[in-house]
Amino acid sequence: RALEALRDVDLPAPEEIYRKYPHECSGGQLQRVMIAAAIVTDPHLLLLDEPTTALDVTVQAQILRLLRDRARASQMAMMLITHDLGVIAQMAEQVVVMYAGRIVEQGATAEVLRHPQHPYTRGLIASRPVPGERRRRLYSIPGQVPDLAALPAGCAFAGRCERATARCREAIPPLLGDRQRAACFYSEFAEVTA
């Protein structure tokens, strides 16, 4: 089964890889071996935490294509945990944006990336490099992430948000909206329900 799983993740010469120590494999090979180990039991849900970190762009594209193909072939759901918006845009149908352990926005990936409602989501999108814009300075979200052991009483992002008011510092905003939802007192969804 192990050799079959190594073949399933398109590793060349799986018998050879099977006998190698981890330090004898490339980053892309190690990532494929980890995926093979994860799918050998035919799971219904595969959790992937930063699955393409430290891989070059070519290997990253191969790994993502492999994951998508395996998920479709075996009707397996995937939950990706990543900071890479490119991976999210390419792989996810739904996205949940979290800040300081709380959901701040969720919805269809295309909608959230096109029309972000929470200031943290906007900051993440603004901070990514845009191909062809070499001279543009990347945006950096001001401030620091709060201590997770001592979160503020209100919105955890309030200390970094340009629009924050006393209300934001006093109460945690509810997750409002229908298909797309945001936890911000000043999102379009909050304005509709106000």
Side-chain angles (χ1 to χ4, degrees):
R1 287 189 71 181
L3 285 171
E4 184 181 325
L6 293 174
R7 282 187 203 94
D8 287 347
V9 296
D10 300 330
L11 273 166
E15 294 81 5
E16 205 175 296
I17 296 289
Y18 181 79
R19 290 179 178 77
K20 286 186 175 185
Y21 288 99
H23 70 275
E24 297 175 312
C25 297
S26 71
Q29 289 173 329
L30 289 173
Q31 205 69 349
R32 288 172 191 266
V33 169
M34 292 296 291
I35 293 167
I39 64 174
V40 73
T41 60
D42 294 321
H44 296 290
L45 172 65
L46 183 61
L47 301 175
L48 301 144
D49 190 356
E50 299 288 356
T52 58
T53 299
L55 298 177
D56 68 52
V57 177
T58 306
V59 174
Q60 177 178 321
Q62 292 170 354
I63 295 296
L64 293 176
R65 189 175 321 109
L66 167 70
L67 286 167
R68 192 173 37 249
D69 293 347
R70 285 294 304 165
R72 285 183 183 143
S74 62
Q75 297 183 339
M76 173 181 65
M78 290 188 293
M79 179 184 289
L80 290 153
I81 302 163
T82 183
H83 291 89
D84 189 328
L85 294 176
V87 169
I88 292 167
Q90 187 177 351
M91 297 290 290
E93 294 173 15
Q94 296 286 316
V95 65
V96 174
V97 180
M98 296 185 72
Y99 182 79
R102 296 178 183 151
I103 296 173
V104 295
E105 188 157 359
Q106 69 183 56
T109 302
E111 278 303 302
V112 170
L113 294 178
R114 220 180 349 240
H115 304 291
Q117 294 298 309
H118 194 277
Y120 178 62
T121 309
R122 284 192 208 111
L124 288 176
I125 292 169
S127 67
R128 71 179 181 191
V130 177
E133 289 188 22
R134 292 182 183 202
R135 297 186 189 259
R136 181 178 77 100
R137 187 176 178 145
L138 293 178
Y139 175 76
S140 177
I141 299 171
Q144 298 290 324
V145 176
D147 179 356
L148 298 179
L151 287 175
C155 176
F157 193 67
R160 302 178 77 184
C161 182
E162 299 167 355
R163 297 180 71 184
T165 63
R167 180 180 183 196
C168 301
R169 293 180 202 345
E170 294 165 4
I172 297 172
L175 204 54
L176 299 172
D178 187 23
R179 292 188 334 220
Q180 182 180 348
R181 300 167 49 163
C184 179
F185 291 122
Y186 302 102
S187 71
E188 288 177 20
F189 311 128
E191 292 166 9
V192 169
T193 59

